[in-house]
Coordinates of all heavy atoms in Angstrom, one line a residue:
M576 N -10.6 7.1 -5.9 CA -9.4 6.9 -5.2 C -9.0 5.4 -5.1 O -9.9 4.6 -5.0 CB -9.6 7.5 -3.7 CG -8.3 7.2 -2.9 SD -7.8 8.3 -1.6 CE -8.3 9.9 -1.9
I577 N -7.8 5.2 -5.1 CA -7.4 3.8 -5.0 C -7.4 3.2 -3.6 O -7.4 3.9 -2.6 CB -5.9 3.6 -5.5 CG1 -4.9 4.5 -4.8 CG2 -5.8 3.9 -7.0 CD1 -3.5 4.4 -5.3
D578 N -7.6 1.9 -3.5 CA -7.8 1.2 -2.2 C -6.4 0.7 -1.7 O -6.0 -0.3 -2.2 CB -8.7 0.1 -2.4 CG -9.2 -0.6 -1.1 OD1 -8.9 0.1 0.0 OD2 -9.8 -1.7 -1.1
V579 N -5.8 1.4 -0.8 CA -4.4 1.1 -0.3 C -4.6 0.4 1.0 O -5.3 0.9 1.9 CB -3.6 2.4 -0.2 CG1 -2.2 2.0 0.2 CG2 -3.6 3.2 -1.5
K580 N -3.8 -0.6 1.2 CA -3.9 -1.5 2.4 C -2.5 -1.8 2.9 O -1.5 -1.7 2.1 CB -4.6 -2.8 2.2 CG -6.0 -2.7 1.6 CD -6.9 -2.2 2.7 CE -8.4 -2.1 2.3 NZ -9.3 -1.7 3.2
L581 N -2.4 -2.1 4.2 CA -1.2 -2.7 4.8 C -1.5 -4.1 5.0 O -2.5 -4.6 5.5 CB -1.0 -2.0 6.2 CG 0.2 -2.6 7.1 CD1 1.5 -2.3 6.3 CD2 0.1 -2.0 8.4
I582 N -0.5 -4.9 4.5 CA -0.7 -6.4 4.4 C 0.6 -7.0 5.1 O 1.7 -6.7 4.8 CB -0.8 -6.8 3.0 CG1 -1.9 -6.2 2.2 CG2 -0.8 -8.5 2.9 CD1 -1.8 -6.3 0.7
R583 N 0.3 -7.8 6.2 CA 1.4 -8.6 6.8 C 1.3 -10.0 6.2 O 0.4 -10.6 6.3 CB 1.2 -8.6 8.3 CG 2.4 -9.2 8.9 CD 2.6 -8.8 10.3 NE 3.9 -9.3 10.8 CZ 4.8 -8.6 11.4 NH1 4.7 -7.4 11.5 NH2 5.8 -9.3 11.8
I584 N 2.6 -10.4 5.8 CA 2.8 -11.7 5.2 C 3.3 -12.6 6.3 O 4.0 -12.1 7.2 CB 3.7 -11.7 4.0 CG1 3.1 -10.6 3.0 CG2 4.0 -13.0 3.3 CD1 3.9 -10.3 1.8
V585 N 3.2 -13.9 6.2 CA 3.7 -14.9 7.2 C 5.2 -14.8 7.3 O 5.7 -15.3 8.3 CB 3.2 -16.3 6.8 CG1 1.7 -16.5 7.0 CG2 3.7 -16.8 5.5
T586 N 5.9 -14.3 6.4 CA 7.3 -14.2 6.4 C 7.7 -13.0 7.4 O 8.9 -12.8 7.6 CB 7.9 -13.9 5.0 OG1 7.4 -12.7 4.5 CG2 7.7 -15.1 4.1
G587 N 6.8 -12.2 7.7 CA 7.0 -11.0 8.6 C 7.0 -9.7 8.0 O 7.0 -8.7 8.6
E588 N 7.1 -9.8 6.6 CA 7.1 -8.5 5.9 C 5.7 -7.8 5.9 O 4.6 -8.4 5.9 CB 7.3 -8.8 4.4 CG 8.7 -9.3 4.0 CD 8.7 -9.6 2.6 OE1 8.0 -10.6 2.1 OE2 9.4 -9.0 1.8
E589 N 5.8 -6.5 6.1 CA 4.6 -5.6 6.0 C 4.7 -4.9 4.7 O 5.7 -4.2 4.4 CB 4.5 -4.6 7.1 CG 4.1 -5.3 8.4 CD 3.7 -4.4 9.5 OE1 4.5 -3.3 9.7 OE2 2.7 -4.6 10.2
I590 N 3.6 -5.0 3.9 CA 3.6 -4.4 2.5 C 2.4 -3.5 2.5 O 1.4 -3.7 2.9 CB 3.3 -5.5 1.4 CG1 4.3 -6.7 1.5 CG2 3.3 -5.0 0.1 CD1 5.7 -6.4 1.4
I591 N 2.8 -2.2 1.9 CA 1.8 -1.3 1.6 C 1.5 -1.4 0.1 O 2.5 -1.4 -0.7 CB 2.1 0.1 2.0 CG1 2.3 0.3 3.4 CG2 1.1 1.1 1.4 CD1 2.9 1.6 3.9
A592 N 0.2 -1.7 -0.3 CA 0.0 -1.9 -1.8 C -1.5 -1.5 -2.1 O -2.3 -1.4 -1.2 CB 0.2 -3.4 -2.1
E593 N -1.7 -1.3 -3.4 CA -3.1 -1.1 -3.9 C -3.7 -2.4 -4.0 O -3.2 -3.3 -4.6 CB -3.0 -0.4 -5.2 CG -4.4 -0.1 -5.8 CD -4.3 0.5 -7.2 OE1 -3.2 1.0 -7.6 OE2 -5.3 0.5 -7.9
L594 N -4.8 -2.5 -3.3 CA -5.7 -3.8 -3.5 C -6.5 -3.7 -4.7 O -7.4 -2.9 -4.8 CB -6.6 -3.9 -2.2 CG -7.4 -5.2 -2.1 CD1 -6.6 -6.5 -2.2 CD2 -8.3 -5.1 -0.9
V595 N -6.2 -4.5 -5.6 CA -6.9 -4.5 -7.0 C -8.1 -5.3 -6.9 O -9.2 -4.9 -7.4 CB -5.9 -5.1 -8.1 CG1 -6.6 -5.1 -9.4 CG2 -4.7 -4.2 -8.2
S596 N -8.1 -6.5 -6.3 CA -9.3 -7.4 -6.2 C -9.0 -8.3 -5.1 O -7.9 -8.6 -4.6 CB -9.6 -8.1 -7.5 OG -8.5 -9.0 -7.8
E597 N -10.2 -8.9 -4.7 CA -10.2 -9.9 -3.5 C -11.2 -11.0 -3.8 O -12.3 -10.8 -4.2 CB -10.5 -9.2 -2.2 CG -10.4 -10.2 -1.0 CD -10.6 -9.5 0.3 OE1 -10.8 -8.3 0.3 OE2 -10.5 -10.2 1.3
E598 N -10.7 -12.3 -3.7 CA -11.5 -13.4 -3.9 C -11.6 -14.2 -2.6 O -11.0 -13.7 -1.6 CB -11.0 -14.3 -5.1 CG -10.8 -13.6 -6.4 CD -12.2 -13.2 -7.0 OE1 -13.1 -13.9 -6.8 OE2 -12.3 -12.1 -7.7
D599 N -12.2 -15.3 -2.6 CA -12.3 -16.1 -1.4 C -10.9 -16.6 -0.9 O -10.8 -16.5 0.3 CB -13.2 -17.4 -1.7 CG -14.6 -17.1 -1.9 OD1 -15.1 -16.1 -1.4 OD2 -15.3 -17.9 -2.4
T600 N -10.0 -17.0 -1.7 CA -8.8 -17.5 -1.3 C -7.5 -16.6 -1.7 O -6.4 -16.9 -1.3 CB -8.5 -18.9 -1.9 OG1 -8.6 -18.8 -3.2 CG2 -9.6 -19.8 -1.3
T601 N -7.7 -15.6 -2.5 CA -6.6 -14.8 -3.0 C -6.9 -13.3 -3.0 O -8.1 -13.0 -2.9 CB -6.2 -15.2 -4.4 OG1 -7.3 -15.0 -5.3 CG2 -5.8 -16.6 -4.5
I602 N -5.9 -12.5 -3.1 CA -6.0 -11.2 -3.3 C -5.0 -10.8 -4.4 O -4.0 -11.5 -4.6 CB -5.7 -10.2 -2.0 CG1 -4.3 -10.4 -1.5 CG2 -6.8 -10.5 -0.9 CD1 -3.9 -9.3 -0.6
V603 N -5.3 -9.7 -5.1 CA -4.4 -9.2 -6.1 C -4.0 -7.8 -5.7 O -4.9 -6.9 -5.4 CB -5.1 -9.2 -7.5 CG1 -4.2 -8.6 -8.6 CG2 -5.5 -10.5 -7.9
V604 N -2.7 -7.5 -5.7 CA -2.2 -6.2 -5.4 C -1.3 -5.7 -6.5 O -0.8 -6.5 -7.3 CB -1.4 -6.2 -4.0 CG1 -2.4 -6.6 -2.9 CG2 -0.3 -7.1 -4.1
K605 N -0.9 -4.4 -6.4 CA 0.1 -3.9 -7.2 C 0.7 -2.6 -6.6 O 0.2 -2.1 -5.6 CB -0.4 -3.5 -8.6 CG -1.4 -2.3 -8.7 CD -1.8 -2.0 -10.2 CE -2.8 -0.8 -10.2 NZ -3.1 -0.5 -11.6
N606 N 1.9 -2.2 -7.1 CA 2.7 -1.1 -6.6 C 3.0 -1.3 -5.1 O 2.8 -0.4 -4.2 CB 1.8 0.3 -6.8 CG 1.6 0.6 -8.3 OD1 2.5 0.2 -9.1 ND2 0.5 1.1 -8.6
G607 N 3.5 -2.4 -4.8 CA 3.8 -2.7 -3.4 C 5.1 -2.0 -2.9 O 6.0 -1.8 -3.7
L608 N 5.0 -1.6 -1.6 CA 6.2 -1.0 -1.0 C 6.4 -1.9 0.4 O 5.4 -2.1 1.1 CB 5.9 0.4 -0.5 CG 5.8 1.4 -1.6 CD1 5.3 2.8 -1.0 CD2 7.0 1.6 -2.4
V609 N 7.6 -2.2 0.7 CA 8.0 -2.9 1.9 C 8.1 -1.8 3.0 O 8.8 -0.8 2.8 CB 9.3 -3.7 1.8 CG1 9.5 -4.3 3.1 CG2 9.1 -4.8 0.8
V610 N 7.5 -2.1 4.2 CA 7.8 -1.1 5.3 C 9.0 -1.6 6.0 O 9.2 -2.7 6.4 CB 6.5 -1.3 6.3 CG1 6.8 -0.4 7.5 CG2 5.2 -0.9 5.6
I611 N 9.9 -0.5 6.2 CA 11.2 -0.9 6.8 C 11.3 0.0 8.1 O 11.5 1.2 8.0 CB 12.4 -0.4 5.8 CG1 12.2 -1.3 4.6 CG2 13.7 -0.7 6.6 CD1 13.2 -0.9 3.5
P612 N 11.3 -0.7 9.3 CA 11.4 0.1 10.5 C 12.8 0.6 10.7 O 13.8 -0.1 10.3 CB 11.1 -0.9 11.6 CG 10.6 -2.2 10.9 CD 11.0 -2.1 9.4
S613 N 13.0 1.8 11.2 CA 14.3 2.4 11.6 C 14.2 3.1 12.9 O 13.1 3.3 13.4 CB 14.7 3.3 10.4 OG 14.0 4.5 10.4
T614 N 15.3 3.6 13.3 CA 15.3 4.3 14.6 C 14.5 5.7 14.5 O 14.0 6.2 15.5 CB 16.7 4.6 15.1 OG1 17.4 5.2 14.1 CG2 17.4 3.3 15.5
Q615 N 14.4 6.2 13.2 CA 13.8 7.4 13.0 C 12.3 7.3 12.7 O 11.5 8.2 12.5 CB 14.3 8.2 11.8 CG 15.8 8.8 12.1 CD 16.8 7.7 11.8 OE1 16.7 6.9 11.1 NE2 17.9 8.0 12.5
G616 N 11.8 6.1 12.7 CA 10.4 5.8 12.3 C 10.3 4.7 11.4 O 10.9 3.6 11.6
V617 N 9.6 4.9 10.2 CA 9.5 3.9 9.2 C 10.0 4.4 7.8 O 9.8 5.6 7.6 CB 8.2 3.2 9.1 CG1 7.9 2.4 10.3 CG2 7.1 4.2 8.7
G618 N 10.5 3.6 7.0 CA 10.8 3.9 5.6 C 10.2 3.0 4.7 O 9.5 2.0 5.1
F619 N 10.3 3.2 3.4 CA 9.7 2.3 2.4 C 10.6 2.1 1.4 O 11.5 2.9 1.0 CB 8.4 3.0 1.8 CG 7.4 3.5 2.9 CD1 7.2 4.8 3.2 CD2 6.6 2.5 3.5 CE1 6.4 5.2 4.2 CE2 5.7 3.0 4.5 CZ 5.6 4.3 4.8
A620 N 10.5 0.8 0.8 CA 11.4 0.4 -0.3 C 10.5 -0.4 -1.3 O 9.5 -1.0 -0.9 CB 12.5 -0.5 0.1
P621 N 10.7 -0.3 -2.6 CA 9.9 -1.1 -3.6 C 9.9 -2.5 -3.2 O 10.9 -3.1 -2.7 CB 10.6 -0.8 -4.9 CG 11.4 0.4 -4.6 CD 11.9 0.5 -3.2
W622 N 8.8 -3.2 -3.4 CA 8.6 -4.6 -3.3 C 8.4 -5.2 -4.6 O 7.8 -4.7 -5.5 CB 7.4 -4.8 -2.3 CG 7.1 -6.3 -2.1 CD1 7.9 -7.2 -1.3 CD2 5.9 -7.0 -2.3 NE1 7.3 -8.4 -1.2 CE2 6.1 -8.3 -1.8 CE3 4.7 -6.7 -3.0 CZ2 5.1 -9.3 -1.9 CZ3 3.8 -7.7 -3.1 CH2 3.9 -8.9 -2.6
A623 N 9.0 -6.4 -4.8 CA 8.9 -7.1 -6.1 C 9.4 -6.2 -7.3 O 8.6 -5.9 -8.2 CB 7.5 -7.7 -6.3
T624 N 10.6 -5.8 -7.2 CA 11.2 -4.8 -8.1 C 11.3 -5.2 -9.5 O 11.4 -4.4 -10.4 CB 12.4 -4.3 -7.5 OG1 13.4 -5.3 -7.3 CG2 12.3 -3.6 -6.2
I625 N 11.4 -6.5 -9.8 CA 11.8 -6.9 -11.1 C 10.6 -7.6 -11.9 O 10.7 -8.2 -12.9 CB 13.0 -7.8 -11.1 CG1 12.7 -9.1 -10.3 CG2 14.2 -7.2 -10.7 CD1 13.7 -10.2 -10.4
I626 N 9.3 -7.3 -11.4 CA 8.2 -7.8 -12.1 C 8.0 -7.0 -13.4 O 8.4 -5.8 -13.5 CB 6.9 -7.8 -11.3 CG1 6.6 -6.5 -10.8 CG2 7.2 -8.8 -10.1 CD1 5.2 -6.5 -10.1
S627 N 7.1 -7.5 -14.2 CA 6.8 -6.7 -15.5 C 6.0 -5.4 -15.2 O 5.1 -5.4 -14.4 CB 5.8 -7.6 -16.3 OG 5.2 -6.9 -17.4
K628 N 6.5 -4.4 -15.9 CA 5.8 -3.1 -15.7 C 4.5 -3.0 -16.5 O 3.6 -2.2 -16.1 CB 6.8 -2.0 -16.3 CG 8.0 -1.9 -15.5 CD 8.7 -0.5 -15.6 CE 9.9 -0.4 -14.8 NZ 10.1 -0.9 -13.5
E629 N 4.3 -3.9 -17.4 CA 3.1 -4.0 -18.2 C 2.0 -4.8 -17.4 O 0.9 -4.6 -17.7 CB 3.3 -4.6 -19.6 CG 4.0 -3.8 -20.5 CD 5.5 -3.9 -20.3 OE1 6.1 -4.8 -19.8 OE2 6.2 -2.9 -20.5
K630 N 2.5 -5.7 -16.5 CA 1.6 -6.5 -15.7 C 2.1 -6.5 -14.4 O 2.6 -7.4 -13.8 CB 1.5 -7.9 -16.2 CG 0.8 -8.1 -17.6 CD 0.6 -9.5 -17.9 CE -0.5 -9.6 -19.0 NZ -1.1 -10.9 -19.0
P631 N 1.8 -5.4 -13.6 CA 2.4 -5.2 -12.2 C 1.6 -5.9 -11.2 O 2.0 -5.9 -10.0 CB 2.3 -3.7 -12.1 CG 1.1 -3.3 -12.9 CD 1.1 -4.1 -14.1
E632 N 0.5 -6.6 -11.5 CA -0.3 -7.2 -10.4 C 0.4 -8.5 -9.9 O 0.9 -9.2 -10.7 CB -1.7 -7.5 -11.0 CG -2.6 -6.3 -11.3 CD -2.3 -5.8 -12.7 OE1 -1.6 -6.4 -13.5 OE2 -2.8 -4.7 -13.0
I633 N 0.2 -8.7 -8.6 CA 0.7 -10.0 -8.0 C -0.5 -10.5 -7.2 O -1.2 -9.9 -6.4 CB 1.8 -9.5 -6.9 CG1 3.0 -8.9 -7.7 CG2 2.3 -10.7 -6.2 CD1 4.1 -8.4 -6.8
T634 N -0.7 -11.8 -7.4 CA -1.7 -12.6 -6.7 C -1.1 -13.2 -5.4 O -0.1 -14.0 -5.5 CB -2.3 -13.7 -7.6 OG1 -2.9 -13.1 -8.8 CG2 -3.4 -14.4 -6.9
L635 N -1.7 -13.0 -4.3 CA -1.3 -13.6 -3.0 C -2.3 -14.5 -2.5 O -3.5 -14.1 -2.5 CB -1.1 -12.4 -2.1 CG 0.0 -11.4 -2.4 CD1 0.0 -10.3 -1.4 CD2 1.4 -12.0 -2.4
D636 N -1.9 -15.6 -2.0 CA -2.8 -16.6 -1.4 C -3.1 -16.1 0.0 O -2.2 -15.9 0.7 CB -2.2 -18.0 -1.4 CG -3.1 -19.1 -0.9 OD1 -3.9 -18.9 0.0 OD2 -3.1 -20.1 -1.7
K637 N -4.4 -16.0 0.4 CA -4.7 -15.6 1.8 C -4.2 -16.5 2.9 O -4.0 -15.9 4.0 CB -6.2 -15.5 1.9 CG -6.8 -14.3 1.2 CD -8.3 -14.2 1.4 CE -8.9 -13.0 0.8 NZ -10.4 -12.9 1.0
R638 N -3.8 -17.7 2.6 CA -3.2 -18.6 3.6 C -1.9 -18.1 4.0 O -1.4 -18.4 5.1 CB -3.1 -20.0 3.1 CG -4.3 -20.7 2.9 CD -4.2 -22.1 2.3 NE -3.6 -21.9 1.0 CZ -3.3 -23.0 0.2 NH1 -3.5 -24.1 0.6 NH2 -2.8 -22.7 -1.0
N639 N -1.2 -17.2 3.2 CA 0.1 -16.6 3.5 C 0.0 -15.2 4.1 O 1.0 -14.6 4.2 CB 0.9 -16.6 2.3 CG 1.2 -18.0 1.8 OD1 1.5 -19.0 2.5 ND2 1.2 -18.2 0.5
L640 N -1.2 -14.8 4.4 CA -1.4 -13.5 5.0 C -1.8 -13.5 6.4 O -2.6 -14.3 6.8 CB -2.4 -12.7 4.2 CG -2.3 -12.6 2.7 CD1 -3.4 -11.8 2.1 CD2 -0.9 -12.0 2.3
I641 N -1.2 -12.6 7.3 CA -1.6 -12.6 8.7 C -2.7 -11.6 8.8 O -3.7 -11.8 9.5 CB -0.4 -12.1 9.6 CG1 0.8 -13.0 9.4 CG2 -0.8 -12.0 11.0 CD1 0.6 -14.4 9.8
Y642 N -2.6 -10.4 8.2 CA -3.7 -9.4 8.2 C -3.7 -8.5 7.0 O -2.6 -8.4 6.4 CB -3.7 -8.6 9.6 CG -2.5 -7.9 9.9 CD1 -2.1 -6.8 9.3 CD2 -1.7 -8.3 11.0 CE1 -1.0 -6.0 9.6 CE2 -0.6 -7.7 11.4 CZ -0.2 -6.5 10.6 OH 0.9 -5.9 11.0
I643 N -4.8 -7.8 6.8 CA -5.0 -6.7 5.8 C -5.8 -5.7 6.5 O -6.9 -6.0 7.0 CB -5.8 -7.3 4.6 CG1 -5.1 -8.5 3.9 CG2 -5.9 -6.1 3.5 CD1 -6.0 -9.1 2.9
V644 N -5.2 -4.5 6.6 CA -5.8 -3.4 7.4 C -5.8 -2.1 6.6 O -4.9 -2.0 5.7 CB -5.3 -3.3 8.8 CG1 -5.4 -4.5 9.7 CG2 -3.7 -3.0 8.7
D645 N -6.6 -1.2 7.0 CA -6.6 0.2 6.4 C -5.4 0.9 7.0 O -4.8 0.6 8.1 CB -7.9 0.9 6.8 CG -9.0 0.4 6.1 OD1 -8.9 -0.2 5.0 OD2 -10.2 0.4 6.7
L646 N -5.0 1.9 6.4 CA -3.8 2.8 6.7 C -4.2 4.1 7.2 O -5.3 4.6 7.0 CB -3.0 3.0 5.5 CG -2.1 1.8 5.0 CD1 -1.7 2.0 3.6 CD2 -0.9 1.6 5.9
D647 N -3.3 4.7 7.9 CA -3.4 6.1 8.4 C -3.6 7.0 7.2 O -2.9 6.8 6.2 CB -2.2 6.5 9.3 CG -2.2 7.9 9.7 OD1 -3.0 8.2 10.7 OD2 -1.6 8.8 9.1
E648 N -4.4 8.1 7.3 CA -4.6 9.0 6.1 C -3.3 9.6 5.6 O -3.2 9.8 4.4 CB -5.7 10.0 6.5 CG -7.0 9.6 6.6 CD -7.6 9.0 5.3 OE1 -7.3 9.6 4.2 OE2 -8.2 7.9 5.4
E649 N -2.3 10.0 6.4 CA -1.1 10.6 6.0 C -0.3 9.6 5.1 O 0.4 10.0 4.1 CB -0.2 11.0 7.2 CG -0.8 12.3 7.8 CD -0.9 13.4 6.8 OE1 0.1 13.7 6.2 OE2 -1.9 14.1 6.8
V650 N -0.3 8.2 5.5 CA 0.4 7.3 4.7 C -0.3 7.1 3.3 O 0.4 7.0 2.3 CB 0.5 5.9 5.5 CG1 1.1 4.9 4.6 CG2 1.2 6.1 6.8
I651 N -1.6 7.1 3.3 CA -2.3 7.0 2.0 C -2.0 8.2 1.1 O -1.8 8.0 0.0 CB -3.8 6.9 2.3 CG1 -4.1 5.5 3.0 CG2 -4.7 7.0 1.1 CD1 -5.6 5.4 3.5
K652 N -2.0 9.3 1.8 CA -1.7 10.6 1.0 C -0.3 10.4 0.3 O -0.1 10.7 -0.9 CB -1.8 11.8 1.9 CG -1.6 13.1 1.1 CD -1.5 14.3 2.0 CE -2.8 14.6 2.7 NZ -2.8 15.9 3.4
K653 N 0.7 10.0 1.1 CA 2.0 9.8 0.5 C 2.1 8.7 -0.6 O 2.7 8.9 -1.6 CB 3.1 9.5 1.6 CG 3.3 10.5 2.6 CD 4.0 11.7 1.9 CE 4.4 12.7 3.0 NZ 4.9 13.9 2.4
Y654 N 1.3 7.7 -0.3 CA 1.2 6.6 -1.3 C 0.6 7.1 -2.6 O 1.1 6.9 -3.7 CB 0.5 5.4 -0.8 CG 0.5 4.3 -1.7 CD1 1.4 3.3 -1.6 CD2 -0.5 4.1 -2.7 CE1 1.4 2.1 -2.5 CE2 -0.5 3.0 -3.5 CZ 0.4 2.0 -3.4 OH 0.4 0.9 -4.3
N655 N -0.4 7.9 -2.5 CA -1.1 8.5 -3.7 C -0.2 9.4 -4.5 O -0.3 9.5 -5.6 CB -2.4 9.2 -3.3 CG -3.5 8.2 -3.1 OD1 -3.5 7.1 -3.7 ND2 -4.5 8.5 -2.2
E656 N 0.6 10.2 -3.7 CA 1.6 11.0 -4.4 C 2.6 10.3 -5.2 O 2.9 10.7 -6.3 CB 2.4 11.9 -3.3 CG 1.6 12.9 -2.6 CD 2.4 13.6 -1.5 OE1 3.7 13.3 -1.4 OE2 1.8 14.4 -0.7
M657 N 2.9 9.0 -4.8 CA 3.8 8.2 -5.6 C 3.1 7.4 -6.6 O 3.6 7.3 -7.8 CB 4.5 7.2 -4.6 CG 5.4 7.9 -3.6 SD 5.9 6.8 -2.3 CE 6.7 5.5 -3.1
F658 N 2.0 6.9 -6.5 CA 1.4 5.9 -7.4 C 0.0 6.3 -7.9 O -0.5 5.8 -8.8 CB 1.2 4.5 -6.7 CG 2.5 3.8 -6.4 CD1 2.9 3.7 -5.1 CD2 3.3 3.5 -7.5 CE1 4.1 3.1 -4.8 CE2 4.5 2.9 -7.1 CZ 4.9 2.7 -5.8
G659 N -0.7 7.2 -7.2 CA -2.0 7.6 -7.5 C -2.2 8.6 -8.6 O -1.3 8.6 -9.5
S660 N -3.2 9.3 -8.6 CA -3.5 10.3 -9.6 C -2.6 11.5 -9.6 O -2.6 12.3 -10.5 CB -4.9 10.8 -9.6 OG -5.1 11.6 -8.3
K661 N -1.7 11.5 -8.6 CA -0.8 12.7 -8.4 C -1.6 13.9 -7.8 O -1.0 15.0 -7.6 CB 0.1 13.1 -9.6 CG 0.7 11.9 -10.2 CD 1.9 11.4 -9.4 CE 2.8 10.3 -10.2 NZ 2.8 9.1 -9.6
L662 N -2.8 13.7 -7.7 CA -3.7 14.8 -7.1 C -3.7 14.6 -5.6 O -4.2 13.7 -5.2 CB -5.1 14.7 -7.7 CG -5.9 15.9 -8.0 CD1 -5.2 16.7 -9.1 CD2 -7.3 15.5 -8.4
V663 N -3.3 15.6 -5.0 CA -3.3 15.6 -3.4 C -4.1 16.7 -2.9 O -4.0 17.8 -3.3 CB -1.8 15.7 -2.9 CG1 -1.7 15.7 -1.4 CG2 -0.9 14.6 -3.5
T664 N -5.0 16.3 -2.0 CA -5.9 17.3 -1.4 C -5.1 18.0 -0.3 O -4.7 17.3 0.6 CB -7.1 16.6 -0.8 OG1 -7.7 15.8 -1.9 CG2 -8.1 17.6 -0.4
P665 N -5.0 19.4 -0.4 CA -4.3 20.0 0.7 C -5.1 20.0 2.0 O -6.3 19.8 2.0 CB -4.2 21.5 0.1 CG -5.3 21.6 -0.9 CD -5.6 20.3 -1.4
D666 N -4.3 20.1 3.1 CA -4.9 20.2 4.4 C -5.8 21.4 4.5 O -5.4 22.5 3.8 CB -4.0 20.2 5.5 CG -3.1 19.0 5.5 OD1 -3.6 17.9 5.2 OD2 -2.0 19.0 6.0
S667 N -6.9 21.4 5.2 CA -7.8 22.5 5.2 C -7.2 23.6 6.1 O -6.5 23.3 7.2 CB -9.2 22.1 5.8 OG -9.0 21.7 7.1
K668 N -7.2 24.9 5.7 CA -6.7 26.0 6.4 C -7.8 26.8 6.9 O -8.9 26.9 6.2 CB -5.7 26.8 5.6 CG -4.6 26.1 4.9 CD -3.5 25.7 5.9 CE -2.4 25.0 5.3 NZ -1.5 24.5 6.1
K669 N -7.6 27.4 8.0 CA -8.6 28.3 8.6 C -8.2 29.7 8.4 O -7.1 30.1 8.7 CB -9.0 28.0 10.1 CG -9.5 26.6 10.2 CD -10.0 26.3 11.6 CE -10.6 25.0 11.4 NZ -11.1 24.3 12.2
L670 N -9.1 30.6 8.1 CA -8.8 32.1 7.9 C -9.2 32.6 9.2 O -10.3 32.6 9.7 CB -9.6 32.6 6.8 CG -9.4 34.1 6.6 CD1 -7.9 34.4 6.1 CD2 -10.3 34.6 5.4
I671 N -8.2 33.3 9.9 CA -8.4 34.0 11.1 C -8.5 35.5 10.8 O -7.5 36.0 10.2 CB -7.4 33.7 12.2 CG1 -7.4 32.2 12.4 CG2 -7.7 34.5 13.4 CD1 -6.3 31.7 13.3
V672 N -9.7 36.1 11.2 CA -9.8 37.6 10.8 C -9.7 38.4 12.1 O -10.2 38.0 13.2 CB -11.2 37.7 10.1 CG1 -11.3 39.3 9.8 CG2 -11.3 36.9 9.0

């Protein structure tokens, strides 16, 4: 499974992205989505839309990051539907007899 994180940048943007790697001073992400608050909740829009499709990784300097945190399972599931293996585990159902 891919490692999906919520990243807040000093500019105020919140990005949901796959964390590819982490070093002492930088992180590398790909398939970023910008979190867009609305009156109905939140929406998502592509982030860094004109980068190379062959090299989609973006290196971010940690000095420009406020935080990197784990996401709610439902958000990760939706992200994986868009960018992951397209394999989604169904919610468990109980059989009542």
Side-chain angles (χ1 to χ4, degrees):
M576 177 147 333
I577 57 180
D578 189 13
V579 183
K580 300 290 185 184
L581 175 66
I582 303 161
R583 183 155 186 129
I584 302 173
V585 294
T586 59
E588 291 174 296
E589 285 189 318
I590 308 298
I591 295 173
E593 178 181 347
L594 182 62
V595 176
S596 66
E597 183 172 0
E598 300 297 327
D599 290 338
T600 60
T601 61
I602 63 169
V603 177
V604 298
K605 68 178 185 178
N606 298 327
L608 296 172
V609 177
V610 179
I611 302 172
S613 73
T614 55
Q615 291 86 22
V617 295
F619 306 106
W622 181 61
T624 57
I625 58 174
I626 63 172
S627 167
K628 296 203 184 319
E629 290 78 35
K630 292 188 163 203
E632 293 85 12
I633 299 174
T634 302
L635 300 172
D636 191 314
K637 285 184 176 179
R638 292 177 295 181
N639 296 320
L640 306 180
I641 305 296
Y642 56 74
I643 303 171
V644 295
D645 292 328
L646 287 160
D647 179 78
E648 287 299 318
E649 285 300 312
V650 176
I651 293 172
K652 185 186 289 186
K653 292 291 183 193
Y654 185 93
N655 281 329
E656 287 175 8
M657 295 169 58
F658 296 110
S660 66
K661 310 289 189 238
L662 214 65
V663 178
T664 307
D666 295 331
S667 63
K668 304 284 183 191
K669 295 191 178 176
L670 180 62
I671 301 174
V672 184

